[in-house]
Amino acid sequence: MSSIPLSDIAAIVTAARVQGPPTVRTDPDGRPVRVLTLRGSRPGELYDFTLDDGHRRWCLESVSHESGIDMHGRTLGKRLSARLNALRGTAAEHFGQRPPALP
């Protein structure tokens, strides 16, 4: 599981430095997964958050940094998930996309 403290994850989400437009990818089971990438506090650090269709809570999936990529599996609570939903909508508007409807 994740070795990153929830307080650090919350700080990244609260800082809301969106890296690019939200994306949708297909997981190995064929389900669509929504992805939102936020910049970390260190140069080159990126946090990938995912949301499987049919789920209400976002998950921290991975952290990319200068040494490589660390995989994580930390599901966020309702408040942070709601914040990521709002960030996803804002990012889609900022990058000129219509956000796909959430489940």
Side-chain angles (χ1 to χ4, degrees):
M1 297 297 171
S2 181
S3 61
I4 298 176
L6 189 57
S7 59
D8 290 358
I9 297 170
I12 294 300
V13 173
T14 302
R17 296 185 303 189
V18 175
Q19 174 63 24
T23 60
V24 177
R25 72 162 197 258
T26 304
D27 76 1
D29 295 335
R31 295 177 305 181
V33 177
R34 303 181 194 289
V35 181
L36 184 65
T37 302
L38 301 181
R39 291 192 303 261
S41 56
R42 296 174 190 90
E45 186 177 59
L46 301 175
Y47 287 71
D48 281 345
F49 294 91
T50 57
L51 179 68
D52 292 348
D53 273 359
H55 292 82
R56 298 272 178 213
R57 295 192 183 179
W58 288 81
C59 177
L60 172 63
E61 183 173 283
S62 65
V63 180
S64 303
H65 45 79
E66 59 189 20
S67 302
I69 299 175
D70 295 330
M71 300 304 292
H72 296 276
R74 181 144 198 175
T75 300
L76 306 183
K78 290 180 183 178
R79 285 185 186 172
L80 288 178
S81 291
R83 173 74 173 145
L84 283 169
N85 286 339
L87 284 176
R88 181 180 155 271
T90 301
E93 289 175 14
H94 177 75
F95 289 99
Q97 295 182 337
R98 277 191 57 199
L102 286 173

